[in-house]
Amino acid sequence: MTPRDATHQPAFGSVADVVERLGDAGYLASTAVATTVFLADRLGKPLLVEGPAGVGKTELAKAVAAATDAGLVRLQCYEGIDEARALYEWNHAKQLLRITASRGAEGWDTTRDDVFSEEFLLPRPLLTAIRRTDPTVLLVDEIDKADVEVEGLLLEVLSDFQVSIPELGTVTANRRPFVLLTSNSTRELSEALKRRCLFLHLDFPDADLERRIVLTRVPELTEQLTDALVRTVRVLRAMELRKVPSVAETIDWGRTLLALGLDTLDDDAVRATLGVVLKHRSDADKAAAELRLN
């Protein structure tokens, strides 16, 4: 039996189970989303979720963790991230102090074995997820921002779920994490990484689903005000803006109206709160013109 077979323990019993448990965690999943999550869990394959910013990619990972009572380990990718920040590094300052303190008291071989021990190891997200024995969701967020070298590292780790630390040996996962990678499609990912994963494209929800999401997150809103919010946001998304409003910003807009004690989304309310959903001056000016706000 391969290590992958030995360490994989599915968390969901069916697609319906995924829908119900994600819903209990506050994430309203479509059948397509629930099916892909179920298959990734059942087959033990990483799940690559692509789509524009703000459609709920990161929230999906958080919801899977909550639904399965798993710990969430997050690797936030950014330009310039390297192996040390993703996998592990040594606490060089502490090593130097130990070397200085033991100078002359013991031989170098003994000192070297001491400073390259577990005490001086700083696990980063990938190693942390591999070493956990409890249920774990590993979120590799915005992988498209990382360099191709980090993709290569991920391929190695996701292939066998083990990490080789020259000074300590090989660390192999006892229990494989559920792995979810997100991408905003700012660059094309390698075919090798895509082959390793199941794929899910998330787009902005339709009007009915977005209404349900907003009412789930902001239950104090009236249905009439929620309808007005969703209609207005969909109009904004149809414009050629630098950054279209995300679902999270629709929710924030609803909370903003509640905080201001507003029960209608009239021109005055839109004008006063448009900065909640539009974050560029050019977008706000364009929206004001097309919505005919004075």
Side-chain angles (χ1 to χ4, degrees), residues 1 21 30 79 88 109 122 147 170 172 176 193 198 208 211 219 222 233 243 273:
M1 181 179 291
R21 290 165 67 182
S30 66
E79 185 177 352
Y88 72 89
D109 288 342
L122 297 175
D147 298 330
T170 299
T172 303
R176 294 178 59 228
L193 181 63
L198 294 186
D208 180 63
R211 278 193 293 269
T222 64
V233 167
K243 182 187 179 303
T273 60

Side-chain angles (χ1 to χ4, degrees), residues 141-185:
D141 217 1
E142 299 184 305
I143 179 61
D144 51 322
K145 290 185 177 179
D147 298 330
V148 293
E149 288 79 9
V150 175
E151 279 192 46
L153 172 65
L154 276 173
L155 283 171
E156 181 180 350
V157 172
L158 298 180
S159 175
D160 299 316
F161 283 90
Q162 63 181 29
V163 173
S164 178
I165 304 175
E167 299 84 358
L168 297 179
T170 299
V171 179
T172 303
N174 291 319
R175 181 170 190 155
R176 294 178 59 228
F178 181 100
V179 181
L180 191 149
L181 305 91
T182 74
S183 169
N184 295 333
S185 302

